[in-house]
Amino acid sequence: MTEATIRRATPEDAPTLAELGAATFIEAFGQLYTPADLQAFLAESHSPAGYAKALANPDYALWIAERDGQAIGYAQAGPCGLPHADASPADGELKRLYLLKSAQNGGVGGALFEQALAWLERDGPRTLWISVWSENYGAQRFYGRHGFAFAGEYAFIVGEQRDREFMYRRAPRPA
């Protein structure tokens, strides 16, 4: 297997991120939703304009993993926006971490994860948050291995459907 490269995304990557974001979401969760709910969610959450807005905001950062010139995964990080009483915008959040199924289990996800967490802690240790679908057990185990612990749950809305989403938190690590 050819090695993947990871680079910081630029504004020119917005269309690629939108396409990759939609493709990875469909691969992971598309079977859970009606076509109308799925299309509405993708149009709102994975549009080129949405990614362009995040890329233009210095409080957010995105990375793209590529193999043989093709985008295979990405990560997005920024201020915490989760609906938890203890969460603060001063805390960091890994907002998205997705890979195409064909690129999973080869270390690329872990490398994207490490890039995002290093960026979130660039100014020193702080509380970090992640949300994950309640039935994504592999991701929950992965985050647990990296010091994240269950902190609560909320409803993640996709169209008319409300999914059970878990919030995980990691306390600031000693500097």
Side-chain angles (χ1 to χ4, degrees):
M1 180 183 308
T2 307
E3 200 64 30
T5 59
I6 295 173
R7 65 176 175 81
R8 183 86 178 262
T10 67
E12 293 76 28
D13 292 314
T16 299
L17 286 162
E19 184 178 322
L20 182 61
T24 55
F25 189 87
I26 290 168
E27 275 190 348
F29 307 114
Q31 75 283 359
L32 300 175
Y33 307 108
T34 66
D37 283 351
L38 180 60
Q39 288 309 314
F41 177 79
L42 294 175
E44 179 183 331
S45 297
H46 292 284
S47 69
Y51 283 101
K53 183 177 177 183
L55 287 163
N57 186 335
D59 293 336
Y60 291 81
L62 290 98
W63 296 265
I64 296 178
E66 297 170 316
R67 180 175 288 137
D68 298 326
Q70 296 296 115
I72 59 170
Y74 76 107
Q76 179 177 352
C80 184
L82 293 173
H84 190 284
D86 296 337
S88 160
D91 297 340
E93 180 185 349
L94 176 63
K95 296 185 171 288
R96 294 179 178 166
L97 175 61
Y98 286 103
L99 283 109
L100 292 171
K101 284 189 178 184
S102 62
Q104 293 176 2
N105 300 313
V108 177
L112 282 165
F113 177 80
E114 292 300 326
Q115 285 278 328
L117 266 55
W119 182 83
L120 286 167
E121 294 182 313
R122 68 198 180 283
D123 295 326
R126 65 177 173 163
T127 301
L128 299 178
W129 295 81
I130 296 170
S131 73
V132 61
W133 181 44
S134 60
E135 295 182 37
N136 189 342
Y137 306 115
Q140 292 171 40
R141 286 189 300 273
F142 176 83
Y143 299 138
R145 286 193 304 270
H146 290 277
F148 286 82
F150 178 83
E153 64 181 80
Y154 69 103
F156 184 85
I157 298 169
V158 176
E160 298 297 317
Q161 185 166 322
R162 284 162 171 58
D163 291 328
R164 206 167 152 218
E165 187 87 352
F166 289 163
M167 292 175 278
Y168 281 74
R169 169 180 50 205
R170 186 174 87 184
R173 299 223 166 152

